[in-house]
Amino acid sequence: MEFINLKAQYQRIKSDVDARIARVLEHGQYVLGPEVAELESRLAARVGAKHCISCASGTDALLVALLALGIGPEDEVITSPFTFFATGEMIALIGARPVFVDIDPVTYNIDPEKLEAAITPRTRAIMPVSLYGQCADFDRINEIAARHDLPVIEDAAQSFGATYREKHSGNLSTIGCVSFFPSKPLGCYGDGGCCFTNDDGLAKAMMELRNHGQDRRYHHVSVGINGRLDTIQAAVLLAKLEIFDGELAGRNAAAAKYDVRLAGIVQTPKVLPGYTSPYAQYTIEVDDREDVQAAMTAAGIPTAVHYPVPLHLQPVFADRGQGVGSFPHAERAGHRVLSLPMHPYLQDEEIERIASAVQGAVSLKTHA
């Protein structure tokens, strides 16, 4: 059984993917070829943003966004401790200080009620994460940010395709940063990402920063990075965009079946009213996760943990002095979350097999 069935997806779109890649090979514009501009235009139109700037990865998208906002040493950026390492990593990489705020235990996203207390005179931005696909509470976050004249960067690595009160993830704040890593709801065949914004100045800066800070060839107005999306990856994403809405429906159908089958057995994901999710992960909570995961493996069911160690407990941030107990909701989630297979091609019998294995593993622990 596949955790994410990219093989089934490829078989569905093989002719389109192959034809689009062949066109790139024929025209030979492997860097910033016409497919890149086409993709940026279509993505911007989809989320309703004025600008889309493609990048070599979701991590580069975060970096480019931070650089465009002029954030650097001695600055602070508020974010969640319960996320993939890249979120805090890019803040630290430019010399700024990640300031963590605990999560809401239901959505796993940053708790807006704890946000204002973390703001200091050194705060330069707020970077919420739309974890597992569900957006953070951006109305509340943006309201707080506006009161303190702070930009907001949505780490939308996992949430492309999500909506929040009829608005699209990626277009909910100053800048939205998306990942196109293969396992994401919209993924390429390697690394890729993009930034969305409605600010002309930020768009221009990010366009330059992802291309060595050039505003024209060999004329560098800033110190940037080599963060361009490959043309072949843009071609793959254009093919996948053609079936994306159908895949979103497939993901939500699978999640709904999981919800029904696992009700009362484990804690299942809760998508709030007014929100939709692409279910980048379908993540449950269990006691004694290692034992449950071992039982699932023995039953031939792949699982994953997103994420076992919150950022404040990572060795590289040990000098912050924020040990165990600093962010209890993030720490509790790190011990309990378990992601099940999730993709648009899950069959009913596969969902039943997975759910039965979860029920058996949990019952085994209950009666141990």
Side-chain angles (χ1 to χ4, degrees):
M1 181 182 293
E2 301 281 350
F3 187 75
I4 299 170
N5 198 340
L6 295 177
K7 296 173 186 175
Q9 183 194 55
Y10 175 60
Q11 289 307 313
R12 179 181 175 188
I13 58 175
K14 184 180 187 303
S15 60
D16 193 17
V17 168
D18 291 355
R20 289 176 184 272
I21 290 175
R23 281 197 290 274
V24 177
L25 298 177
E26 287 163 6
H27 67 56
Q29 298 177 56
Y30 302 119
V31 178
L32 297 181
E35 286 81 2
V36 173
E38 181 185 352
L39 177 69
E40 290 173 339
S41 176
R42 290 188 59 183
L43 292 175
R46 183 181 181 93
V47 305
K50 191 172 182 182
H51 303 281
C52 173
I53 300 90
S54 60
C55 298
S57 69
T59 302
D60 279 348
L62 293 174
L63 179 58
V64 163
L66 290 162
L67 291 172
L69 290 166
I71 296 168
E74 308 305 322
D75 294 333
E76 295 178 352
V77 178
I78 297 172
T79 193
S80 167
F82 191 59
T83 179
F84 180 60
F85 186 65
T87 310
E89 179 184 30
M90 291 302 99
I91 297 168
L93 189 67
I94 60 173
R97 176 182 173 87
V99 174
F100 302 121
V101 168
D102 208 359
I103 59 170
D104 177 287
V106 174
T107 67
Y108 305 109
N109 289 326
I110 197 166
D111 186 346
E113 300 309 312
K114 296 181 171 70
L115 192 56
E116 203 147 19
I119 296 173
T120 75
R122 289 187 173 180
T123 305
R124 288 290 308 281
I126 302 170
M127 188 186 283
V129 181
S130 294
L131 199 72
Y132 300 154
Q134 180 169 205
C135 297
D137 187 354
F138 276 91
D139 284 353
R140 184 78 181 105
I141 293 166
N142 288 334
E143 174 194 335
I144 294 167
R147 194 156 58 239
H148 294 271
D149 196 26
L150 295 171
V152 176
I153 304 169
E154 181 189 8
D155 182 339
Q158 301 177 9
S159 57
F160 185 78
T163 58
Y164 169 83
R165 297 172 182 170
E166 300 185 349
K167 295 175 286 189
H168 289 272
S169 178
N171 191 28
L172 301 174
S173 60
T174 315
I175 301 173
C177 300
V178 174
S179 170
F180 299 129
F181 187 76
S183 63
K184 296 298 190 284
L186 180 65
C188 53
Y189 291 161
D191 280 305
C194 75
C195 298
F196 293 106
T197 189
N198 293 305
D199 185 296
D200 293 345
L202 286 175
K204 182 176 184 295
M206 289 189 289
M207 195 82 73
E208 294 164 354
L209 285 161
R210 63 109 187 250
N211 192 22
H212 299 288
Q214 298 180 107
D215 63 353
R216 59 186 184 273
R217 192 164 174 80
Y218 300 133
H219 189 263
H220 303 266
V221 295
S222 60
V223 175
I225 62 170
N226 180 2
R228 302 170 303 235
L229 180 69
D230 291 338
T231 307
I232 284 178
Q233 300 299 350
V236 170
L237 290 165
L238 285 167
K240 291 194 177 190
L241 263 181
E242 298 297 332
I243 62 166
F244 187 59
D245 286 325
E247 290 198 331
L248 285 178
R251 286 175 171 272
N252 275 268
K257 291 168 185 173
Y258 270 139
D259 288 347
V260 171
R261 184 61 178 77
L262 294 174
I265 298 171
V266 292
Q267 180 175 318
T268 57
K270 181 175 177 57
V271 176
L272 301 179
Y275 295 62
T276 67
S277 174
Y279 289 96
Q281 285 85 30
Y282 187 91
T283 302
I284 62 174
E285 284 194 26
V286 295
D287 298 317
D288 303 308
R289 182 178 61 208
E290 288 187 6
D291 293 337
V292 171
Q293 197 168 22
M296 297 288 286
T297 300
I301 308 296
T303 59
V305 178
H306 305 99
Y307 300 94
V309 182
L311 300 194
H312 67 288
L313 299 180
Q314 295 290 347
V316 71
F317 292 134
D319 61 352
R320 302 288 300 278
Q322 295 175 316
V324 174
S326 298
F327 304 103
H329 292 312
E331 292 166 29
R332 183 178 187 274
H335 286 298
R336 294 176 53 81
V337 293
L338 184 67
S339 298
L340 303 179
M342 168 52 72
H343 55 82
Y345 305 100
L346 275 172
Q347 301 299 307
D348 288 353
E349 56 268 26
E350 290 180 304
I351 293 172
E352 176 58 34
R353 181 181 162 200
I354 294 162
S356 294
V358 170
Q359 185 172 15
V362 171
S363 298
L364 186 66
K365 291 306 302 177
T366 302
H367 297 104

